[in-house]
Amino acid sequence: MVIDSFVWICFLGFVFFMLALDLGVFHRKSHEVKIKEALIWSAVWIGLALIFNYGIYVFMGEQKAVEFLTGYVIEKSLSIDNLFVFIMLFTYFKVDVKYQHKVLFWGILGALAMRAIFIFAGVALINKFHWIIYIFGALLVVTGIKMLFHKDEDIQPDKNPLVRLFKKIYPVTEESHGGKFFVKLQGKTFATPLFVVLLIVEFTDLIFAVDSIPAILAITNDTFIIFTSNVFAILGLRALYFALAGITKYFYYLKYGLSAILVFVGIKMTIVDLYKIPISYSLLVITGILLISVLISVAFPKKNDLINN
């Protein structure tokens, strides 16, 4: 339909405009993003998502609005797990704080393209082969259980298969060379460690997309709702990272909450033909689990955190 194409074009235009405004105006020069600036940008992205959600309510109805909000909450909560990886990654490579925004910007730009492919492929598969929804559901349940028993380990990027393959086919410098991804030395082009970090950021999002996309497919199979909720969650991820980078380690019980969310959504998918859990109930359960896990983390911090403080 013409109106559908028009809506898609308008939304993508808005996304590219905001990205251009972000990189070309507000972050034209590399600088350290302070907590105050990060909180302001987090509020802006959340506010824009809520305004967009209201627009969906007005033009598409209450059902679609609840689907968008539920999908947004799921993607936002699951994306918090990415933050822990980013923190370890930037620490491992000793990435200067003023260049971290640049890495996350280009990493998220690539993530948007990959998410779009996952979303359209996932919806097409479910529409053509309904039984695949059971596979997605089982995948989420297994992932949730694995997350529950997963122990935190130091990240070792050098063992990443993508990094090892890239270093075999392309030379990488030992020095950082400021905020450059590539440099020319003695007439030969080298990639910098900053580009290696970008590669791992993209690879990490690809792995997380395997969990998050099936999770939102349990809520709706409307590609527009899935894509837009994903986009708003991802676009706000950079600001959220800088706002929470120093305190995410205190949310010790958050991973248990994320595990419970994945298991719940997975069960919701596997029983969809027996009983379809209302979207409004799903939203309440997901936000409730997330809130409880954060409150428990604050009320019962790890002993190590108390000692360090």
Side-chain angles (χ1 to χ4, degrees):
M1 293 176 62
V2 176
I3 188 169
D4 290 337
S5 300
F6 177 74
V7 171
W8 275 102
I9 291 172
C10 287
F11 179 74
L12 291 175
F14 162 77
V15 172
F16 287 121
F17 171 76
M18 290 301 296
L19 287 172
L21 190 67
D22 186 351
L23 188 65
V25 178
F26 295 104
H27 296 94
R28 184 173 55 184
K29 293 183 179 180
S30 297
H31 66 280
E32 179 181 354
V33 179
K34 301 293 186 180
I35 292 180
K36 181 180 178 181
E37 180 184 352
L39 288 174
I40 291 174
W41 271 103
S42 292
V44 168
W45 285 116
I46 293 174
L48 287 173
L50 294 177
I51 292 172
F52 185 80
N53 193 30
Y54 178 73
I56 291 178
Y57 173 78
V58 173
F59 294 104
M60 300 178 70
E62 181 180 351
Q63 176 71 14
K64 293 297 182 182
V66 176
E67 288 178 2
F68 173 88
L69 185 58
T70 306
Y72 178 72
V73 171
I74 288 176
E75 293 300 328
K76 200 72 172 176
S77 58
L78 291 178
S79 68
I80 293 175
D81 224 21
N82 291 40
L83 301 185
F84 294 97
V85 177
F86 294 158
I87 291 169
M88 291 187 290
L89 189 60
F90 289 147
T91 301
Y92 181 92
F93 280 101
K94 298 180 176 60
V95 178
D96 195 310
V97 289
K98 66 181 180 180
Y99 300 130
Q100 291 177 7
H101 181 276
K102 179 179 180 180
V103 174
L104 293 178
F105 176 90
W106 290 106
I108 286 171
L109 195 62
L112 291 176
M114 288 191 294
R115 292 295 179 100
I117 295 172
F118 268 76
I119 290 168
F120 283 97
V123 171
L125 284 172
I126 288 178
N127 287 336
K128 190 168 184 179
F129 308 105
H130 178 72
W131 51 265
I132 207 168
I133 198 170
Y134 303 124
I135 296 178
F136 283 158
L139 175 66
L140 290 178
V141 172
V142 172
T143 303
I145 295 173
K146 286 176 63 178
M147 181 184 291
L148 186 64
F149 296 101
H150 177 72
K151 294 182 179 179
D152 295 330
E153 299 174 353
D154 292 333
I155 191 169
Q156 296 179 307
D158 289 330
K159 293 185 178 181
N160 185 295
L162 181 64
V163 173
R164 295 172 67 179
L165 176 63
F166 180 76
K167 286 186 174 181
K168 285 183 178 180
I169 61 178
Y170 209 94
V172 178
T173 64
E174 295 292 333
E175 298 79 21
S176 60
H177 294 278
K180 296 179 180 179
F181 288 133
F182 294 93
V183 292
K184 183 164 285 190
L185 301 172
Q186 298 178 345
K188 188 176 181 179
T189 303
F190 288 78
T192 67
L194 198 66
F195 184 76
V196 175
V197 175
L198 177 60
L199 273 182
I200 303 175
V201 167
E202 297 286 10
F203 180 79
T204 300
D205 186 76
L206 182 64
I207 299 301
F208 277 105
V210 175
D211 299 332
S212 63
I213 299 304
I216 196 172
L217 285 172
I219 305 301
T220 178
N221 62 355
D222 187 321
T223 52
F224 184 74
I225 297 298
I226 298 173
F227 183 72
T228 52
S229 60
N230 255 269
V231 167
F232 275 108
I234 293 174
L235 289 178
L237 184 59
R238 284 166 302 137
L240 188 64
Y241 165 79
F242 291 107
L244 301 180
I247 61 175
T248 47
K249 62 181 179 180
Y250 299 115
F251 296 149
Y252 178 70
Y253 294 99
L254 182 60
K255 75 172 185 177
Y256 297 104
L258 298 179
S259 171
I261 289 173
L262 287 176
V263 172
F264 168 74
V265 175
I267 293 174
K268 174 181 169 66
M269 293 185 84
T270 55
I271 66 172
V272 67
D273 290 328
L274 297 175
Y275 176 71
K276 190 171 183 178
I277 300 174
I279 302 297
S280 56
Y281 292 173
S282 298
L283 178 59
L284 288 174
V285 170
I286 292 166
T287 53
I289 292 173
L290 193 61
L291 181 60
I292 290 171
S293 62
V294 171
L295 290 177
I296 292 177
S297 297
V298 174
F300 304 99
K302 288 178 66 177
K303 291 182 179 180
N304 290 342
D305 293 337
L306 293 174
I307 294 173
N308 292 335
N309 289 331

